[in-house]
Amino acid sequence: MNTAPLVDQFRRRISYLRLSVTDRCDLRCAYCMPERMKFLPKNEVLSLEELHRLSLAFIARGVTKLRLTGGEPLVRRDMIDLVSALGRKIGDGLDELTLTTNATQLETHAEALAKAGVRRVNVSLDTRDKAKFAELTRRDMLPKVLSGIAAAKEAGLKVKLNTVALKGINDGELPDLIAWAHGQGHSVTLIEVMPLGEIDGDRVDHYLPLTAVKDDLEERWTLAPSTHRTGGPARYFDIAETGGRLGLITPLTGNFCEGCNRLRVTTTGQLYPCLGGGERVDLRAALREDSSDTALNHAVDHALAIKPERHHFAINKAGEAPAQPRHMSVTGG
Ligand code: SAM
Ligand code: SF4
């Protein structure tokens, strides 16, 4: 077994893997994908066994945190089998197994996730207004999402909400959403919309820099910079009045690459060492080429050698193509 630590060309130690288990989704968030999104044929997507093998190889080399994402991970039928199999590595290499989900199916699966060893989930929620939710996600599923979030809490899972800040859509609602979440015991992280993949409209129309959101929130609340770090891109603040924590992810207004500790693998087994870069290594070919994982580890070493120092994306100007042609749902958000 290859146990060599994952260290990139800039001496950053990689301990976090985000693995996209499907590009499919039961919502169609307007900033993420077009209404008529073309999904990948099943044979291009990694099988359950391949996802498992790949994860074990990364854990052997020092990945201690694994996040399953997509697309919507819970629409994959064999998902709980994978989570259960990987859950057995918790305490045996893996410190944490988590999931990013839109929560539409969380009511059904929250308990099974908790049983498998999952302790925290990230849930995407951009609005608590039913009509707005239906318009933004193109599906009328807010009640399912809210009962999914409640079921997660009930099952003992810690919930972190991820909210994309969108001008003209949820900007007026952000303080209420944060106050509600903190009241429920959930933390919230706000994210700037990123130029990834073609969508039906233009993201520029709704791009909202978080610097402006933070100024707004500070007129209402006291935001104290927190020492809390997850090794990820978010910077955290404690809000005195709500007693909760707020994270800000600012890929466009503030670069966060210096301490990057992560790699991402797509549904088709493509390893993208950087979310904002085009560098890519084909792990599916390596997985299918030999069963001993030698080719796989060789490919991973190559990815470490080409992981760029930082991303270079900026919000594209009106009418311009996105900085990266692949959608977040393929790379794994
Ligand atoms: N379907 C799951 C969900 O929505 O939580 C997991 C995958 S989704 C691609 C992961 C995260 O990426 C979500 O929080 C979503 O809001 C975010 N996202 C998708 N497209 C984005 C974009 N272009 N810019 C910024 N965030 C994006
Ligand atoms: Fe689906 Fe998540 Fe993309 Fe929304 S953000 S369309 S829930 S993958």
Side-chain angles (χ1 to χ4, degrees):
M1 194 197 297
N2 187 335
T3 57
L6 301 164
V7 181
D8 78 357
Q9 58 170 329
F10 301 102
R11 295 173 179 269
R12 289 172 297 195
R13 172 86 184 250
I14 310 297
S15 55
Y16 181 11
L17 177 68
R18 295 171 82 106
L19 183 57
S20 176
V21 298
T22 179
D23 63 322
R24 287 166 199 257
C25 190
D26 52 353
L27 300 181
R28 294 286 183 283
C29 303
Y31 55 80
C32 179
M33 55 174 80
E35 167 73 71
R36 290 167 189 281
M37 180 73 177
K38 267 191 86 153
F39 294 116
L40 295 161
K42 286 233 167 68
N43 60 350
E44 287 198 22
V45 172
L46 294 184
S47 68
L48 187 77
E49 292 69 30
E50 287 170 333
L51 288 168
H52 187 229
R53 213 180 116 199
L54 188 94
S55 303
L56 294 186
F58 275 102
I59 294 168
R61 296 194 61 180
V63 161
T64 55
K65 179 170 170 183
L66 179 57
R67 176 176 299 281
L68 304 175
T69 178
E72 174 46 42
L74 293 175
V75 303
R76 189 164 167 153
R77 235 184 296 138
D78 44 16
M79 189 57 196
I80 296 297
D81 296 340
L82 179 65
V83 175
S84 302
L86 292 173
R88 290 195 270 280
K89 292 301 291 180
I90 298 172
D92 176 24
L94 206 55
D95 292 337
E96 190 176 37
L97 176 62
T98 56
L99 215 80
T100 302
T101 173
N102 62 25
T104 58
Q105 322 243 354
L106 206 46
E107 197 176 3
T108 314
H109 296 302
E111 261 190 37
L113 293 174
K115 223 176 185 176
V118 173
R119 294 289 165 260
R120 297 193 306 139
V121 286
N122 283 7
V123 172
S124 305
L125 181 68
D126 301 324
T127 175
R128 286 175 64 235
D129 177 306
K130 194 168 180 294
K132 245 183 218 175
F133 184 95
E135 192 185 333
L136 180 64
T137 68
R138 304 186 181 107
R139 300 291 185 270
D140 188 8
M141 292 180 85
L142 181 66
K144 283 295 284 167
V145 168
L146 294 178
S147 46
I149 294 173
K153 185 176 170 182
E154 185 67 33
L157 299 175
K158 265 206 117 13
V159 175
K160 191 188 88 182
L161 296 182
N162 282 339
T163 303
V164 178
L166 298 160
K167 187 169 71 185
I169 299 179
N170 64 3
D171 39 357
E173 198 196 325
L174 293 174
D176 280 356
L177 199 147
I178 294 166
W180 171 79
H182 286 176
Q184 297 285 316
H186 310 319
S187 65
V188 180
T189 291
L190 302 179
I191 307 171
E192 289 174 345
V193 71
M194 291 178 250
L196 301 169
E198 291 286 354
I199 53 171
D200 291 331
D202 212 323
R203 286 191 186 87
V204 179
D205 298 345
H206 299 296
Y207 170 61
L208 179 59
L210 289 184
T211 40
V213 176
K214 183 166 171 270
D215 288 349
D216 257 19
L217 293 176
E218 281 183 318
E219 291 199 2
R220 176 183 307 243
W221 292 323
T222 321
L223 271 62
S226 159
T227 49
H228 180 75
R229 290 278 178 280
T230 58
R235 292 292 162 261
Y236 294 92
F237 299 86
D238 293 319
I239 303 185
E241 293 80 353
T242 62
R245 185 180 291 148
L246 179 70
L248 301 179
I249 299 187
T250 55
L252 298 151
T253 54
N255 195 267
F256 50 54
C257 303
E258 213 166 279
C260 184
N261 64 347
R262 60 194 57 198
L263 294 174
R264 296 167 189 267
V265 176
T266 70
T267 317
T268 61
Q270 307 307 304
L271 192 166
Y272 282 95
C274 174
L275 176 64
E279 300 78 4
R280 171 175 74 95
V281 173
D282 186 357
L283 301 187
R284 185 183 60 187
L287 273 166
R288 293 180 182 176
E289 183 185 315
D290 92 282
S291 58
S292 73
D293 288 352
T294 306
L296 176 64
N297 278 301
H298 194 70
V300 171
D301 287 334
H302 179 54
L304 293 169
I306 62 170
K307 182 172 165 69
E309 188 169 15
R310 49 162 297 170
H311 74 67
H312 292 283
F313 54 48
I315 190 74
N316 38 320
K317 296 190 186 67
E320 233 177 51
Q324 286 303 327
R326 59 184 191 274
H327 292 89
M328 188 80 129
S329 55
V330 175
T331 314

